[in-house]
Amino acid sequence: STERQAGGVTGFTDNPVNAAMARVLDDVRREDHPGAVADYIPQLATADPEAFGVASVSVHGHSYGAGDYRVPFTIQSMSKPFVYALALEALGVEAVCARIGVEPSGEAFNGISFDPSGRPENPLINAGAIVSTSLIPGVDGAERFATIRDGLSRFAGRELELDEAVYRSESETGFRNLALAALARSTDALRVPIEDALDPYFRQCSLLVDAHDVAVMGGTLANGGVNPVTGERVVSTAVAQHVLSVMTGCGMYDRSGAWMVSVGIPAKSGVGGGIVAATPGEYGICVFSPPLDEAGNSSRGVAVLQRMSSEFGLHLL
Ligand code: DON
């Protein structure tokens, strides 16, 4: 039976998984994990640095959580694998891979990382994510965002809302993303007007989620594309496998190699402080803590997933 009920998640206390996750949060809270809340988008700087939560959802639809797993925050770059999945589902692997690579860039999330044929190196850096967004069917940016919001809501199992203030803040200050989109347009990776890709990209990053929502999203990938809570098939099994493979190599930017060695779970971080992880056939997990390390990954989030991986034997290898 699932613990999810209308209006919230219940049954979170008298359960060994919840107790173990609460203990992991306490342990990590006591350690020193230096980090700073992202401030390159002014509105993100208002996040509470002490917010800290974790949620997991099994492929059978059981929900677990500890700490601030019901505190809303913006999805940011954790949207990227899911929009990429929607693009693959709509266009097929060949068409998408003709425009976006699947290689780790070894560079920062906002790096100028294009391969010799002009494709962004992968869909999880900003350049590749903007191209993914451009591939979502729609006559313009508004229609594209409507499709994205609907798709991400199906991954989450509930209708996701936009944080207008973060969206405005990001679109007023996103000059580097404008430059990356212009470079992608110059190489022909991007074939729609820049605004019709960039505006829905800023909006997708500004969708509000909590850790439980994102654990369901990750659980949908872990479950071969079927949402484990609603039972709805969101993408094909092949698409879910493809996306998890790319997350394995590229999800943590220039820390992806160290991440695979120490944690060993496909994952994706966001500058809102979330990290989504998915153990194939088992769990979707999301940790939330806004202060970020130098690579732009949640400092406490990395520590929690390291610990959960070793304590619960989640390393894939
Ligand atoms: O493109 C941006 O600047 C952000 N909206 C998303 C970047 C992000 O989350 C990078 N992640 N660690």
Side-chain angles (χ1 to χ4, degrees):
S1 69
T2 164
E3 284 81 2
R4 185 147 168 79
Q5 296 180 350
V9 181
T10 59
F12 273 77
T13 43
D14 298 327
N15 176 302
V17 178
N18 299 333
M21 294 200 305
R23 186 177 40 71
V24 169
L25 292 189
D26 284 342
D27 289 348
V28 169
R29 199 182 274 116
R30 272 195 291 272
E31 297 164 356
D32 185 32
H33 294 288
V37 173
D39 59 5
Y40 76 100
I41 300 168
Q43 191 63 27
L44 284 182
T46 64
D48 173 10
E50 287 310 314
F52 193 23
V54 58
S56 65
V57 172
S58 77
V59 297
H60 307 295
H62 296 276
S63 296
Y64 307 95
D68 298 322
Y69 65 88
R70 277 304 196 188
V71 170
F73 60 102
T74 52
I75 190 168
Q76 297 297 339
S77 288
M78 292 189 296
S79 63
K80 293 170 179 174
F82 300 99
V83 173
Y84 181 56
L86 296 174
L88 287 166
E89 188 71 16
L91 272 73
V93 174
E94 208 180 323
V96 174
C97 288
R99 311 273 285 282
I100 312 168
V102 294
E103 298 297 340
S105 68
E107 295 179 314
F109 73 91
N110 57 6
I112 303 172
S113 310
F114 294 85
D115 70 16
S117 72
R119 296 178 309 172
E121 290 283 6
N122 69 67
L124 303 182
I125 53 172
N126 288 6
I130 293 165
V131 175
S132 284
T133 298
S134 78
L135 296 176
I136 298 298
V139 295
D140 59 12
E143 210 176 286
R144 210 160 268 134
F145 176 64
T147 304
I148 289 171
R149 178 176 173 160
D150 175 68
L152 266 52
S153 296
R154 285 186 288 124
F155 271 110
R158 82 174 176 91
E159 199 61 43
L160 300 177
E161 303 294 334
L162 185 74
D163 185 324
E164 286 284 348
V166 171
Y167 160 66
R168 255 179 285 114
S169 189
E170 177 145 9
S171 60
E172 281 162 8
T173 58
F175 302 117
R176 186 160 178 111
N177 283 324
L178 178 61
L180 291 170
L183 283 172
R185 188 84 176 92
S186 78
T187 67
D188 230 26
L190 182 61
R191 297 184 191 171
V192 305
I194 287 172
E195 269 313 294
D196 289 340
L198 206 50
D199 188 69
Y201 171 73
F202 289 147
R203 288 177 189 270
Q204 84 187 43
C205 288
S206 306
L207 286 169
L208 278 167
V209 290
D210 63 27
H212 172 76
D213 294 325
V214 179
V216 177
M217 296 175 81
T220 301
L221 292 179
N223 196 34
V226 175
N227 183 313
V229 175
T230 65
E232 185 188 353
R233 176 167 290 287
V234 184
V235 291
S236 72
T237 306
V239 164
Q241 183 189 49
H242 179 121
V243 172
L244 287 173
S245 304
V246 175
M247 288 166 71
T248 302
C250 315
M252 301 298 278
Y253 309 116
D254 45 337
R255 297 287 195 282
S256 294
W259 173 268
M260 253 343 258
V261 170
S262 70
V263 181
I265 308 173
K268 181 72 202 79
S269 61
V271 292
I275 302 177
V276 58
T279 53
E282 293 180 332
Y283 292 103
I285 304 170
C286 178
V287 192
F288 165 56
S289 165
L292 310 179
D293 65 19
E294 275 130 37
N297 301 320
S298 167
S299 303
R300 283 175 164 178
V302 169
V304 165
L305 283 160
Q306 254 159 10
R307 213 173 257 261
M308 285 179 66
S309 174
S310 75
E311 284 194 25
F312 308 147
L314 301 177
H315 199 298
L316 296 187
L317 305 170

